[in-house]
Amino acid sequence: MSPALMYNFNKYVKIMDQHDIYNDEIINIDSCDFLTPTIVLPLMSFIYNYNKRIKEHNDSVVNDYLHKVLGIKKHTNTTLPFRWLDETTDNSEELTKEILSIMNPIPEMEQSLKYIFHEIITNVYDHSLFDNGFVIGQYWPKRNETDYCFMDNGISIPGSFKKSNIPFKNDCDAIIQAVNGMSTKDEGAYIGRGTGLNTVVNIVTQGARGIVLIASGNGVVEITRNRVTPRKIPDDYIKGTLVSLRMNSNRNIDIYEHMVGREYELPKKIKRIKKKTI
C-alpha cells in the first residue's frame, strides 16, 4: 500500500501552517508537489467555508490535476471530481454509482463498497447538522488503489458528543468512540450504540486491508489493519468531519463477517502534528 493517508493529511496541515488562516485571503499550495483527495478536499472545504481563495499552483501538472478534480476541466475516468452532498435530499445512491464507476471493482466487492459509501453519507445526514458536504475520489491504476474522501461542515464528532452530553477525554477519543459504535442519533430520548461506522472501518481495514482516516475538531485518527495512529491538530483546520478511505478493488469481502463489533484502542500518548516549514 502506498504512503499512508496520515502522510497526505500532514501535507494539508503544513499548507495551513504556512498561513495566518484567519487573515490571509489567498492560500498558496506551491510547496505541495503532489495532490491527493485527502489534501484537496479539506483544503477546498476550508476555502469554501472561510471565503478564501487558492493561488494557482506554479507547477502546471499539479495545477491541471487540481482543475480536473474540482471539475473545472474535463477529467479522466479515473477521477471522481468534486461532488456536493445534497443538504435536503439523501443522494447517496447517485454518488455511490459515480464512485463505483471510477473504481471498476470485482463483482464480489460491490456489495461491501455500496454499504461503505451509504453508511458514511448517511452518518453525515444523521449526525452532523451540515449545510455543505463534499465528495471526491481518485483511482490509481498502477497501484490498483482508490482514495475516497467525504467531508461535511457540520458540528463535528466532538461537537455532536458535547451536544448529547457524551463524555470524552479529547477529540481523538471522541473519534475512536464513534468508530467503536457510540451513536448520538436521537431516537426519542435514547442515545445508544451504532454499528455502521464500526462495520465500515472493519470492512476497509480488516477485509480490504485498506486505510481509514477520520479528522474532526482538533483530532485526526488513522486506522489500518494493525495500528491506530492519533494526532492533535490546530483549531479550525477542520470544520466538520473528514473521512478518507484507501483500498484496492480486487478483494472478495464477506460483509457479514465484519458486522461483528470490533474495539479499536488509542495509544496512551497522542502526538501533535509538528508545525514546520515544508
Side-chain angles (χ1 to χ4, degrees):
M1 184 95 25
S2 53
L5 293 177
M6 187 71 82
Y7 174 83
N8 297 144
F9 187 78
N10 284 349
K11 287 182 175 290
Y12 164 71
V13 170
K14 290 173 183 177
I15 289 171
M16 293 293 98
D17 285 345
Q18 294 176 334
H19 297 84
D20 177 344
I21 65 170
Y22 303 107
N23 295 307
D24 289 354
E25 294 183 2
I26 298 175
I27 304 299
N28 188 327
I29 64 170
D30 285 345
S31 55
C32 191
D33 59 1
F34 184 77
L35 295 176
T36 70
T38 307
I39 304 169
V40 173
L41 195 55
L43 178 65
M44 298 315 300
S45 179
F46 174 82
I47 287 170
Y48 185 88
N49 287 306
Y50 293 100
N51 196 28
K52 307 292 185 179
R53 288 182 293 151
I54 187 170
K55 175 185 172 294
E56 296 281 290
H57 200 287
N58 61 9
D59 185 324
S60 60
V61 175
V62 178
N63 206 53
D64 186 62
Y65 175 75
L66 180 63
H67 285 182
K68 287 177 180 177
V69 79
L70 295 179
I72 298 171
K73 292 181 65 174
K74 185 177 180 180
H75 58 86
T76 67
N77 59 7
T78 59
T79 298
L80 175 69
F82 194 81
R83 291 286 187 264
W84 295 84
L85 294 180
D86 192 314
E87 180 188 357
T88 57
T89 304
D90 185 340
N91 60 341
S92 58
E93 186 174 346
E94 174 189 341
L95 288 171
T96 296
K97 288 180 180 178
E98 289 196 63
I99 294 169
L100 290 174
S101 71
I102 71 166
M103 189 178 186
N104 192 28
I106 60 173
E108 294 83 356
M109 197 174 184
E110 279 200 25
Q111 182 185 15
S112 296
L113 292 172
K114 288 177 180 178
Y115 178 90
I116 287 169
F117 305 138
H118 174 75
E119 282 295 328
I120 291 174
I121 296 171
T122 297
N123 266 337
V124 174
Y125 286 103
D126 286 347
H127 303 290
S128 74
L129 304 178
F130 76 107
D131 53 40
N132 289 300
F134 322 99
V135 180
I136 60 175
Q138 181 64 48
Y139 174 55
W140 316 101
K142 291 183 179 179
R143 307 196 305 252
N144 191 30
E145 292 175 0
T146 308
D147 285 6
Y148 315 92
C149 286
F150 306 80
M151 190 161 185
D152 66 76
N153 69 343
I155 62 173
S156 78
I157 294 173
S160 183
F161 275 33
K162 287 177 184 176
K163 184 172 179 287
S164 300
N165 296 314
I166 297 174
F168 58 96
K169 297 176 183 177
N170 51 61
D171 289 3
C172 289
D173 179 55
I175 292 170
I176 212 70
Q177 283 196 54
V179 168
N180 285 338
M182 181 59 71
S183 175
T184 61
K185 187 174 182 180
D186 192 352
E187 303 279 357
Y190 173 73
I191 303 295
R193 306 291 292 183
T195 59
L197 185 56
N198 189 261
T199 301
V200 165
V201 174
N202 295 342
I203 292 171
V204 175
T205 62
Q206 310 302 316
R209 304 294 193 267
I211 306 169
V212 176
L213 179 140
I214 302 174
S216 198
N218 294 118
V220 55
V221 177
E222 181 188 70
I223 304 173
T224 65
R225 187 185 181 198
N226 299 312
R227 180 177 297 178
V228 175
T229 304
R231 293 288 184 268
K232 294 179 182 178
I233 56 177
D235 290 336
D236 297 331
Y237 280 22
I238 292 291
K239 177 177 172 59
T241 299
L242 168 71
V243 178
S244 291
L245 315 175
R246 175 173 292 167
M247 67 189 97
N248 63 35
S249 55
N250 60 0
R251 286 190 175 272
N252 186 353
I253 300 171
D254 180 356
I255 188 173
Y256 301 103
E257 177 186 344
H258 302 290
M259 285 186 169
V260 178
R262 181 184 179 92
E263 291 286 323
Y264 295 88
E265 294 184 4
L266 293 174
K268 292 182 179 180
K269 186 175 182 181
I270 299 176
K271 297 180 181 179
R272 178 177 291 276
I273 295 178
K274 293 181 180 179
K275 184 172 182 176
K276 59 184 178 181
T277 303
I278 299 178

